[in-house]
Amino acid sequence: PLISSIVPIRTALSQHLNEALDLNHSKTKGVTISISSVEKSVSWTTFSFGVISILYGFLIYYLLPLALFSLNLLLFGWIFFLIILGLIIGLAILSLNMQHIVERVFASVCFFWQHVALNKVLTKNLVAHRVRNRRTAILFSVGFGFLCFFNVWLTMELTTIRASILASKGVYFDISGGDITPEVLGPILDKYDFLEDYSFESTRLDYAVPRTDDVFVSNLGRVFELPVEADAIPPNYFKVTLNEFMSVYKQYDWTSLVLSEQLYTPRGSQSAILGGSFEKELPASLDWDKTYLFTLFRGVDSHYSQMRTAAMLDSAPGQRYSHYPGRGMQTSGISYTTWLRLSGGAFDSVDRIDFYRVLLKLSYIDDNALDEMYAEIRNKMGDKTELWDFREIEDTLNTISNILSSFFTVIAVVVALLCLFGVVASMTSNIMDQSKEICVMRAIGITSKRMVRVYVEEAFVVILAASMLGIMIGFVTGWSVVAQRSVITDLPLEFYWPWQMTVGVLFVAIAGSFVSTYFPAKSIMKLQIAKIMRLIS
């Protein structure tokens, strides 16, 4: 109560005495003229902005690195919250400059069908009440901005979790565990029609070759050495995996073959797929005369091979590629025959390559046939074999997403209802301050019903414009947070708009504008013109 009474008290005391006692003129001002004295030595607005800027700079420049280096998660959380708070409030203040423009756009779009005279009255009211309506607008903008931010952020976080799981797996279904060999699994998988295709993922070269300490690539002078995971890729690998996580930085365009098939051409058998960051770190190049050194490090028994670059990827399903340095060990995709050659004679046939996972691509889902295939594989390969099904995870994520959407929609309606009290007070003041104008317009022929409709439409436009700007503020803030995570995780960013909250806001704008304006306007419109004039004289 103490804080909320400061602004009304200062507004009342800031008026001149003759203006406060003047009952012959309307309190509503379409034009305001202010005169500033040069003798005023301190501008509190400028002073406050300077102090806030200094604190914000200190927060970013000193406290944020301190929290990161000291691993103080509590301090980092508070800094993150204050940054988001400043972003939302800053966007809300910025939106105030667009508030009147958006109001006029909504007024033109929503009420194009009514008489031109009424639209002009509505526009004049929006101009005359602009200052008072700003207070209502800031309530809705900040309130819905925070709600929409948390809604968009949490929903897109769930989407990022989904994308992270699928990107690491590369498929919706896979089989792992046990002794996986194509000779055993191939005849079983070929029997089922719902299975469109399948592929295998090999064990890393440094895990498969005994006494191997590391596998890395380097320039020919061995100045720059970068560790890699050398994986054998079947020809159909990128046909089976999810293409949405495939991001090619550079590749040859001389053939229509898929990238995994290109590894089995004469040129591809001398090459490997590298991450996009290797272009600067190695440096790697697609030029035919540009080669690098592939090392299977085993002490004095190390094996060295000169290789070319087949392509450079920013991301790929089921494998680790990145365009940014420092993302940890990345994958180096090679063919079966190249894998065999780079093993340094440890294996004499591609049949000796170890596989730890089978990737499945289904043309359609048949639960009974899928269970039957899984049971047959377990009988053949043992109880250690596991079938991974993404549908179980997706059902959980969808349930959480639906709960969050419903929860935030209900909270948005509650916040709108709380803000509605401010709308009621604001619109009541607007109507009472324009009592003289109401008398004039009624005297020249505008009916009471049309006057009530004008004020209801004004409340509708103000609430709708402020709420939509608040949703936009929350969406931009939430999107920026998730976009930052997308850069860190190398995952694609999916668009999400809070439709349920938007529909809820539209409903609240319609209901709130009627409730907040109809009854105050009706109470004064039912009076005779002469009686209204006596009330304000």
Side-chain angles (χ1 to χ4, degrees), residues 179-183 200-205 208-209 230-234 264 334-343 346-357:
D179 186 15
I180 296 178
T181 54
E183 293 79 7
F200 294 88
E201 188 166 339
S202 73
T203 307
R204 288 170 46 178
L205 184 60
V209 179
D231 294 340
I233 298 177
Y264 291 85
I334 53 180
S335 64
Y336 285 168
T337 53
T338 306
W339 193 94
L340 186 65
R341 176 168 55 87
L342 295 178
S343 66
F347 302 97
D348 54 5
S349 173
V350 293
D351 295 333
R352 300 286 304 278
I353 297 178
D354 294 328
F355 299 97
Y356 77 96
R357 196 162 70 107

Side-chain angles (χ1 to χ4, degrees), residues 324-338:
Y324 303 102
R327 293 296 176 87
M329 189 179 297
Q330 298 189 34
T331 305
S332 177
I334 53 180
S335 64
Y336 285 168
T337 53
T338 306

Side-chain angles (χ1 to χ4, degrees), residues 515-533:
V515 172
S516 63
T517 309
Y518 177 79
F519 296 104
K522 191 67 176 176
S523 62
I524 194 171
M525 296 300 173
K526 66 182 181 180
L527 300 177
Q528 295 181 355
I529 298 176
K531 189 171 183 180
I532 299 176
M533 293 295 294

Side-chain angles (χ1 to χ4, degrees), residues 123-400:
T123 303
K124 295 295 184 182
N125 278 359
L126 290 174
V127 173
H129 304 149
R130 185 174 180 178
V131 176
R132 183 173 289 146
N133 289 341
R134 274 185 175 182
R135 301 168 188 172
T136 303
I138 198 70
L139 290 176
F140 281 90
S141 296
V142 175
F144 281 112
F146 272 105
L147 282 177
C148 186
F149 161 68
F150 285 113
N151 187 5
V152 172
W153 178 33
L154 293 176
T155 303
M156 295 185 77
E157 283 293 322
L158 293 176
T159 305
T160 305
I161 293 173
R162 177 185 183 276
S164 177
I165 296 173
L166 286 178
S168 63
K169 288 288 187 177
V171 289
Y172 290 104
F173 301 89
D174 74 2
I175 299 172
S176 61
D179 186 15
I180 296 178
T181 54
E183 293 79 7
V184 175
L185 279 178
I188 299 176
L189 299 176
D190 290 336
K191 294 192 307 183
Y192 295 93
D193 296 334
F194 68 89
L195 195 60
E196 180 179 339
D197 201 357
Y198 58 89
S199 185
F200 294 88
E201 188 166 339
S202 73
T203 307
R204 288 170 46 178
L205 184 60
D206 54 334
Y207 289 170
V209 179
R211 298 181 293 105
T212 300
D213 297 326
D214 203 355
V215 174
F216 54 84
V217 296
S218 64
N219 61 335
L220 296 182
R222 299 178 62 184
V223 176
F224 305 105
E225 295 182 345
L226 303 170
V228 294
E229 298 178 2
D231 294 340
I233 298 177
N236 66 338
Y237 182 85
F238 289 124
K239 289 184 177 180
V240 174
T241 53
L242 299 172
N243 192 49
E244 59 190 274
F245 300 105
M246 185 73 172
S247 178
V248 179
Y249 176 54
K250 286 184 179 180
Q251 70 170 351
Y252 292 109
D253 54 1
W254 54 272
T255 177
S256 59
L257 295 175
V258 200
L259 191 54
S260 55
E261 294 176 337
Q262 294 180 26
L263 295 176
Y264 291 85
T265 61
R267 183 188 182 101
S269 62
Q270 309 169 35
S271 309
I273 303 174
L274 298 176
S277 63
F278 282 64
E279 183 183 33
K280 294 182 179 179
E281 290 184 291
L282 199 53
S285 174
L286 298 182
D287 296 339
W288 179 253
D289 57 344
K290 300 292 184 181
T291 60
Y292 60 90
L293 205 60
F294 191 98
T295 304
L296 183 69
F297 187 75
R298 294 187 293 179
V300 295
D301 196 23
S302 299
H303 181 75
Y304 303 94
S305 302
Q306 207 167 340
M307 299 284 290
R308 293 183 172 86
T309 305
M312 286 179 279
L313 306 181
D314 290 339
S315 64
Q319 298 181 341
R320 287 188 285 184
Y321 296 98
S322 178
H323 187 73
Y324 303 102
R327 293 296 176 87
M329 189 179 297
Q330 298 189 34
T331 305
S332 177
I334 53 180
S335 64
Y336 285 168
T337 53
T338 306
W339 193 94
L340 186 65
R341 176 168 55 87
L342 295 178
S343 66
F347 302 97
D348 54 5
S349 173
V350 293
D351 295 333
R352 300 286 304 278
I353 297 178
D354 294 328
F355 299 97
Y356 77 96
R357 196 162 70 107
V358 185
L359 293 77
L360 306 178
K361 183 178 183 181
L362 278 60
S363 55
Y364 62 92
I365 296 178
D366 186 342
D367 291 328
N368 295 329
L370 194 62
D371 294 338
E372 180 184 346
M373 182 191 71
Y374 179 46
E376 186 176 356
I377 292 174
R378 294 197 67 177
N379 291 334
K380 192 75 174 179
M381 301 179 57
D383 294 336
K384 293 183 179 180
T385 306
E386 295 182 359
L387 173 65
W388 182 79
D389 188 345
F390 179 71
R391 292 179 300 171
E392 300 175 0
I393 300 175
E394 191 168 32
D395 291 341
T396 303
L397 294 177
N398 289 337
T399 301
I400 296 175

